Amino acid sequence: MSGEPDALAVVNQLRDLAADPLNRRAIVEDQGCLSGLILFFDHPNPQVVYSALLAVRYLAECRSNREKMKGELGMMLSLQNIMQKGTSPGETKLLASEIYEILQTSSSTEAEQAEAAASCRKKAQFFLGSTNKRAKTVVLQIDGLDDSAQRSLCEEALLKIKGVISFTFQMAVKRCVVRIRSDLKAEALGTAIASTKVMKAQQVVKGEDGSEIVIPFQGDSDVVVEQNINLPDYLPEDESPSQEQHKAVTRLGSMQDGASWLSTAANFLSRSFYW
C-alpha cells in the first residue's frame, strides 16, 4: 500500500505534462515512459488506470507518435483487455475504445494527417476531431478557478459525475475542457461546479461568426447529476494482475518492474521539464 500514492502521483504528473502538445513527442521518445504507462493499464487501482489512459490519449493526439505507440509491446492488447473486462467502469472502457480506434487507424490519408498534426500543435485543446460519436466536448468558463486548491475541488466535483470521460484545465484563462458522454447534459457540469460553493461555471460556445459566446447555466436548474458511487477503490483480487500470469500483463514484467519505472519516470520528469 505504501507504493500506491507514488504510483498515482507519478502517473498524474505525466498525464498533466502530456496535456501540453509541446511535451508529447519527448514523452513518447523517452525510454521507459510509454511501456510504464502500459504496465499501469493493469494496475489494481482504477484511478491509476484511468489516469494512465488519459496520458496515452493526450499522447495519441500527436500524429507522429501514433505508429510508435501502436507498435509498443502490449499497447493494443492491454487496451482490448480494458474494453472487454467486465469490471472496467464504463467511462474507462469508452476512453480505451477511443485510443484503440485512433491507433488502429493511424495509417490515414494526407488530409487526415495534416488535420491531426494541426491538432497536435494547438495547446490546451483536448480530443479535437474525436472519432467517437458517443462523446462530446464542453468548454467551461469557471469563476473562482484561481489556484491549485480550487482546481482540486473542481476535479473532485467532475469525477463524481457519471458520464464524464476526461477533462483538462486552462488555468491561465480559468477554463476547463470536459469530455462527456453524448447523453449527459452540460448543465450537470454546471451543477457539479456550483456544488463546491466557491466556483461558478458558464458554458463557452462558438457563434455563427466564429466568435466565442459565454452562456450562463440556469441558477434554478433541476438537472439531476448521476454520480459515480459504485466504483471500487480497488479491483477484486481475482482480477489482480499478479494472479493472471497467463494474460497480457506477464509480457511487461512484475510490479517490481513497475517500481523501477516509477523511478525512471520520476527522474525523467525532474530532468526534462520545469513546472
Side-chain angles (χ1 to χ4, degrees):
M1 293 294 292
S2 60
E4 186 68 25
D6 291 338
L8 186 58
V10 171
V11 173
N12 283 346
Q13 281 192 331
L14 196 54
R15 174 204 64 195
D16 291 342
L17 287 171
D20 186 341
L22 299 180
N23 295 335
R24 291 171 185 166
R25 291 187 65 180
I27 292 173
V28 171
E29 292 299 323
D30 186 85
Q31 184 176 4
C33 284
L34 196 56
S35 60
L37 286 171
I38 297 172
L39 176 63
F40 283 118
F41 286 171
D42 293 303
H43 200 277
N45 184 349
Q47 288 182 302
V48 172
V49 176
Y50 192 77
S51 190
L53 283 170
L54 280 178
V56 171
R57 182 60 178 86
Y58 280 125
L59 297 177
E61 282 292 295
C62 187
R63 175 65 182 86
S64 61
N65 284 343
R66 294 179 185 174
E67 283 300 322
K68 181 176 177 61
M69 293 173 66
K70 180 180 178 181
E72 187 71 23
L73 182 63
M75 172 68 78
M76 304 304 282
L77 186 57
S78 289
L79 290 172
Q80 285 181 315
N81 287 343
I82 293 173
M83 293 156 55
Q84 296 169 2
K85 185 181 292 185
T87 55
S88 296
E91 285 69 38
T92 300
K93 288 183 177 181
L94 184 58
L95 185 54
S97 176
E98 290 196 354
I99 298 169
Y100 186 88
E101 186 173 353
I102 288 173
L103 298 183
Q104 189 68 23
T105 59
S106 59
S107 298
S108 56
T109 64
E110 291 183 2
E112 289 171 332
Q113 292 176 6
E115 180 181 355
S119 71
C120 181
R121 290 193 297 269
K122 292 182 180 179
K123 296 187 68 174
Q125 291 192 8
F126 190 42
F127 288 179
L128 290 179
S130 171
T131 57
N132 196 313
K133 296 181 179 179
R134 293 176 296 171
K136 61 184 178 182
T137 300
V138 177
V139 179
L140 300 177
Q141 183 75 47
I142 305 177
D143 296 332
L145 185 62
D146 300 320
D147 52 36
S148 58
Q150 307 307 325
R151 171 175 169 162
S152 295
L153 283 176
C154 189
E155 288 178 346
E156 291 176 7
L158 293 174
L159 285 171
K160 291 179 182 178
I161 304 176
K162 188 172 184 179
V164 169
I165 301 170
S166 61
F167 49 82
T168 186
F169 290 93
Q170 304 171 7
M171 296 298 291
V173 291
K174 299 183 179 182
R175 288 188 177 181
C176 182
V177 182
V178 189
R179 188 75 171 163
I180 61 176
R181 294 177 67 100
S182 59
D183 57 353
L184 179 65
K185 293 183 178 179
E187 287 79 3
L189 305 178
T191 300
I193 299 299
S195 70
T196 65
K197 307 298 183 184
V198 293
M199 288 177 284
K200 183 178 179 181
Q202 302 177 86
Q203 185 175 3
V204 181
V205 298
K206 290 284 187 180
E208 293 182 357
D209 59 354
S211 62
E212 290 187 347
I213 302 174
V214 179
I215 303 176
F217 293 113
Q218 295 297 324
D220 57 352
S221 175
D222 294 326
V223 174
V224 177
V225 179
E226 188 175 1
Q227 296 190 344
N228 281 316
I229 58 176
N230 59 343
L231 296 182
D233 291 333
Y234 299 94
L235 295 178
E237 288 298 323
D238 59 353
E239 295 291 344
S240 171
S242 62
Q243 296 189 21
E244 296 183 352
Q245 297 301 319
H246 61 290
K247 292 193 176 180
V249 68
T250 57
R251 74 202 177 282
L252 296 171
S254 65
M255 290 308 293
Q256 272 191 330
D257 297 323
S260 175
W261 178 79
L262 286 177
S263 177
T264 301
N267 290 334
F268 164 72
L269 296 176
S270 62
R271 63 182 164 79
S272 300
F273 299 97
Y274 299 86
W275 64 90

